[in-house]
């Protein structure tokens, strides 16, 4: 009797052979247990999408602040209003009274 004369059990289907099982096991190991597995890749993908949305929000807020800086650099009235309101500065012959009344 030759060692290559293997009789498969009746419960194993005819289309199921050893190379196919090895290939399926290899694919499963790559997808779920490898260094670059599917779970890790999907987690990284969601993290990348979150970071892209944060970048978009930061660029939008940076554009708003750039517009404010541009306004302060070009419009002297808005600069004077900001200095008076925020820093409490006044002109030479002027009295300023600060109250807590809204």
């Amino acid at each position: 009797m030759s060692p290559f004369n293997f009789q498969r059990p009746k419960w194993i289907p005819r289309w199921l052979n050893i190379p196919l099982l090895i290939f399926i096991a290899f694919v499963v190991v790559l997808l779920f247990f490898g260094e670059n597995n599917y779970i890790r890749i999907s987690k990284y993908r969601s993290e990348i999408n979150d970071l892209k949305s944060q970048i978009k929000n930061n660029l939008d807020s940076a554009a708003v602040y750039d517009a404010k800086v541009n306004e302060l650099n070009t419009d002297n009235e808005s600069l004077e209003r900001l200095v008076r309101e925020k820093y409490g500065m006044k002109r030479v012959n002027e009295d300023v009274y600060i109250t807590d009344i809204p």
Side-chain angles (χ1 to χ4, degrees), residues 29-83:
V29 166
L30 285 180
L31 285 177
F32 296 107
F33 300 110
E35 185 176 316
N36 294 326
N37 60 27
Y38 178 74
I39 297 168
R40 185 178 291 169
I41 288 173
S42 64
K43 183 179 75 168
Y44 287 155
R45 216 175 261 146
S46 67
E47 187 175 340
I48 286 171
N49 290 336
D50 291 340
L51 291 173
K52 283 182 180 178
S53 67
Q54 287 179 6
I55 287 171
K56 184 176 182 269
N57 290 339
N58 288 338
L59 288 177
D60 291 343
S61 64
V64 168
Y65 287 123
D66 286 341
K68 285 183 181 181
V69 166
N70 189 25
E71 179 188 358
L72 291 175
N73 285 335
T74 56
D75 189 17
N76 288 333
E77 291 177 8
S78 63
L79 178 63
E80 183 178 346
R81 181 179 44 83
L82 176 74
V83 167

